[in-house]
Amino acid sequence: MNRLIVCVLANVCWAACSASASSAADALPSPFGDAGYRSVLADLSGRPSPPLLLVYLDSPLHPDCRAFGAGTLAAGGVLRYLRNEGASTVTCLGASVHSSDGAHLASLLGVTAYPFVALLHVRGGGGGGGSGSGSGSGSAGAPPRDPTLELRLKLQGRPLREMRPAQFLAHLQAVVGQHAVVLAEAEARRLQREEEALLRDEQDREYREGLDADRAAQAEREARREAEEAERREAEEAERREREERE
């Protein structure tokens, strides 16, 4: 699938970092793994608060792509962020436009120039991976639906190529920061809904317990009244028999 671009990126990143690093320990591996598009989508859509998906589409023979890979993606600050600081908030996916995944993504995202970078928010779709054209999760028994891809950032062509690494990183961090706020607000709303649901459950439980206690007390009163009534009838019957015997 995207092994070609992954290998190219890994080699470019290693070479660029190693050339400028003072020791081998300073070199960083490429943040782009070898998982396919559908596999990455399935993984992210299954998480409650997934990281953003950074998609890099490469045209291997395009000179701007080679320059962007070596000058921007391989820049120390960008690499450190994607590999370390931003690893929990950004998942990287690279693909060549000559691969099936790359061609699909280029069509899906409306790519018109290279190099191309996008940040996407993957919303769950019932555990199914796919093109991202669907939304939501199906009901029980229904086939899984594709996750929804929400575009958060789109950079392409020569403007991206000419962007300094610090500018590129600033774009990424700004969108990631905004996304973190959105996730935090969504989590706060989810916790509030859970708290309200727990409160309603507690109130319902107390109401049911009150009803059960009232029913138990009523049943006890009825049982006591019936026992007293039976005792009274027995006493009257005993008194009647005693009178009859005397007569």
Side-chain angles (χ1 to χ4, degrees):
M1 179 297 293
N2 63 335
R3 290 182 180 274
L4 171 63
I5 183 58
V6 170
C7 292
V8 170
L9 282 173
N11 291 336
V12 167
C13 291
W14 271 104
C17 288
S18 298
S20 59
S22 57
S23 67
D26 295 323
L28 292 171
S30 168
F32 293 83
D34 59 359
Y37 167 64
R38 293 180 182 275
S39 175
V40 171
L41 229 58
D43 172 54
L44 295 182
S45 63
R47 303 188 199 182
S49 298
L52 289 174
L53 175 61
L54 185 148
V55 173
Y56 170 61
L57 298 182
D58 179 84
S59 181
L61 301 180
H62 199 298
D64 283 347
C65 288
R66 292 195 297 272
F68 176 74
T72 301
L73 283 182
V78 175
L79 267 183
R80 279 191 296 273
Y81 176 73
L82 294 178
R83 189 68 188 179
N84 298 324
E85 302 102 287
S88 62
T89 54
V90 176
T91 293
C92 297
L93 172 66
S96 167
V97 294
H98 300 308
S99 69
S100 59
D101 277 357
H104 173 73
L105 283 166
S107 174
L108 182 68
L109 299 174
V111 180
T112 59
Y114 297 94
F116 177 88
V117 169
L119 278 175
L120 306 173
H121 177 206
V122 180
R123 299 178 68 89
S131 64
S133 58
S135 62
S137 55
S139 57
R145 302 181 62 186
D146 291 342
T148 298
L149 301 182
E150 298 179 353
L151 187 64
R152 293 288 186 261
L153 177 67
K154 182 176 181 178
L155 301 169
Q156 61 183 337
R158 187 163 292 274
L160 175 59
R161 159 66 186 91
E162 295 175 348
M163 193 176 293
R164 295 194 302 273
Q167 292 175 306
F168 177 69
L169 182 58
H171 280 291
L172 296 184
Q173 291 175 324
V175 175
V176 169
Q178 294 166 2
H179 183 64
V181 172
V182 171
L183 288 182
E185 292 174 347
E187 178 67 6
R189 290 193 296 269
R190 185 187 68 79
L191 292 175
Q192 182 178 0
R193 288 193 299 269
E194 285 187 356
E195 185 176 345
E196 292 171 350
L198 289 173
L199 179 60
R200 286 194 299 270
D201 289 344
E202 178 67 17
Q203 292 173 338
D204 290 344
R205 183 185 63 79
E206 292 177 352
Y207 176 72
R208 289 193 299 271
E209 289 178 351
L211 284 180
D212 291 343
D214 289 343
R215 292 192 187 101
Q218 179 66 22
E220 184 179 352
R221 289 194 295 270
E222 289 292 332
R224 187 166 54 248
R225 183 185 65 78
E226 290 176 0
E228 292 173 351
E229 181 65 19
E231 184 178 351
R232 183 185 64 77
R233 285 196 300 269
E234 289 177 1
E236 290 178 350
E237 181 62 20
E239 184 178 352
R240 184 185 64 77
R241 287 197 299 269
E242 185 178 351
R243 285 198 305 269
E244 289 176 352
E245 291 175 355
R246 284 199 302 268
E247 291 175 356

